[in-house]
Amino acid sequence: MTPKRRIGEGLCCVGEVMSARRDEARHGAGAGEWWGESWSVDFAAIDGSIGGYVRFELYPNQRRAWCWVNIVRADGTVVVRDHDVPMPTGRALLARSEALWCELICETPMEHWSIGVEAFGVRLDDPLDAYRGEIGTRLAVGLELEWEAGTPAYDDSVARDIPDGSTGHYDHTGIVHGDILLADEVIAFDGYGSREHSWGLRDWWTRGWAKAAVVFDAHRSLHVDASQGEGEGEGVGVGHAWADGVLHTFDAVTVETTFDDAGLPSAATYRLAAGEWCAVAPILHAPVPLIAADGRTSKLARSLCRFTQSDGTAGHGWGEWLRVDPPA
């Protein structure tokens, strides 16, 4: 584990590490078909009864974008997914296509974002129906949410020493509030959420990973990012946590995951440092199918989870496990 830092020190001080307006906005495209840039927000109610995520990803060299909107609760998984959204013009982060409008607005760089969605999606009785054509009950889906920062952004591209800006990634945790609209139901939402912005080459079909983001309260959070190892459910990576204004970074996180017979995660453990760990209990699932033009396939298992740390701190957030299917 690397030395701890307080908010405002080192790479965590937003003003010293990055130009907020430059990095919040769209970047110039790099080389390659799968160079992409994404903005995403995960959110979960404090009691874990409902949660969701929005991901907007640009692939400028393909002249298209992806948009995912998922809501999970006990009565099913709601899916809005379009992998053929026209590229938005100018600087807007706007997905607009048939039966879909999704816009992410930076109200104040590194502090406040608005998320708006008006779309038609489907409610899946079984989350695995996401891998079977996403056939379910059609319904209107809307989001009117505000995300407000609780911690500084953590910029791991600085930590990884990537000076040319061709690849970048930072994440941020805070509070989320507003309304979720499902058919004729309006759900008032108050909870926590993690926001990410990243850019660089995307490879969904070579090697898997395990990631997690949980916000225990407005000022305490944990992020884990690990590559899939050779063994089933194993991975090694890095992580960072905020606690009481102090940043803790972990440079040798190990991930151990148990999957059920259908391939969804049923339990996981993140070993952070000597004597420190986090147990993960997936509650509700919102998986995503990934199919390349050449026929390669992967499955992204995204799950709303309960996280419990070795010191007893507990909360809800999102985990994801990318599993690459063997060649047909």
Side-chain angles (χ1 to χ4, degrees):
M1 185 171 64
T2 55
K4 304 171 185 177
R5 290 190 289 268
R6 288 201 168 274
I7 290 176
E9 296 181 24
L11 65 88
C12 306
C13 179
V14 172
E16 294 178 5
V17 173
M18 61 182 82
S19 166
R21 291 190 178 277
R22 181 196 70 208
D23 279 35
E24 292 278 54
R26 290 161 60 170
H27 291 69
E33 179 185 13
W34 287 102
W35 189 96
E37 184 167 16
S38 67
W39 295 258
S40 63
V41 179
D42 294 344
F43 49 92
I46 295 172
D47 63 0
S49 60
I50 187 170
Y53 63 86
V54 176
R55 182 183 180 97
F56 183 49
E57 181 141 13
L58 304 180
Y59 289 105
N61 299 327
Q62 300 181 38
R63 302 301 303 164
R64 63 170 174 162
W66 289 5
C67 183
W68 304 346
V69 181
N70 279 46
I71 307 296
V72 294
R73 61 178 183 175
D75 63 352
T77 297
V78 175
V79 178
V80 177
R81 184 176 68 87
D82 192 336
H83 282 188
D84 199 20
V85 177
M87 276 285 292
T89 59
R91 298 183 177 182
L93 303 181
L94 174 63
R96 179 181 292 168
S97 64
E98 184 178 359
L100 169 65
W101 174 85
C102 173
E103 187 169 19
L104 306 180
I105 299 174
C106 180
E107 306 286 0
T108 305
M110 299 295 173
E111 293 182 16
H112 178 199
W113 281 72
S114 297
I115 302 102
V117 173
E118 294 179 10
F120 279 96
V122 294
R123 188 196 308 274
L124 308 177
D125 294 330
D126 181 346
L128 287 170
D129 288 339
Y131 297 148
R132 307 177 188 129
E134 296 173 333
I135 297 172
T137 303
R138 194 168 188 259
L139 78 167
V141 179
L143 295 179
E144 298 175 357
L145 297 175
E146 306 293 324
W147 178 93
E148 297 177 72
T151 68
Y154 179 82
D155 182 357
D156 71 359
S157 64
V158 174
R160 290 185 288 120
D161 190 24
I162 304 174
D164 65 359
S166 61
T167 297
H169 170 270
Y170 55 88
D171 52 55
H172 224 173
T173 57
I175 61 172
V176 179
H177 57 90
D179 291 326
I180 298 172
L181 298 85
L182 300 177
D184 58 357
E185 183 180 8
V186 179
I187 304 161
F189 182 87
D190 282 290
Y192 300 121
S194 177
R195 185 178 71 88
E196 292 191 1
H197 179 197
S198 65
W199 57 96
L201 285 173
R202 300 284 196 263
D203 187 344
W204 299 95
W205 299 284
T206 299
R207 189 174 182 83
W209 63 66
K211 297 182 180 181
V214 54
V215 187
F216 299 104
D217 59 36
H219 304 288
R220 292 188 298 172
S221 61
L222 172 68
H223 287 77
V224 171
D225 188 345
S227 296
Q228 182 175 295
E230 296 300 326
E232 175 73 3
E234 298 177 355
V236 178
V238 297
H240 63 274
W242 287 99
D244 301 322
V246 179
L247 172 71
H248 306 252
T249 56
F250 309 99
D251 54 12
V253 175
T254 60
V255 178
E256 302 162 3
T257 307
T258 301
F259 297 97
D260 63 20
D261 292 342
L264 294 177
S266 57
T269 301
Y270 305 146
R271 302 196 183 281
L272 306 173
E276 297 184 54
W277 48 264
C278 183
V280 185
I283 300 170
L284 299 167
H285 303 285
V288 181
L290 296 162
I291 304 171
D294 60 8
R296 292 176 297 162
T297 59
S298 293
K299 295 181 177 67
L300 183 66
R302 301 203 90 246
S303 302
L304 179 64
C305 305
R306 180 172 174 81
F307 296 79
T308 304
Q309 295 196 108
S310 47
D311 65 0
T313 302
H316 293 89
W318 282 84
E320 70 175 40
W321 292 262
L322 178 68
R323 307 184 77 194
V324 176
D325 295 328

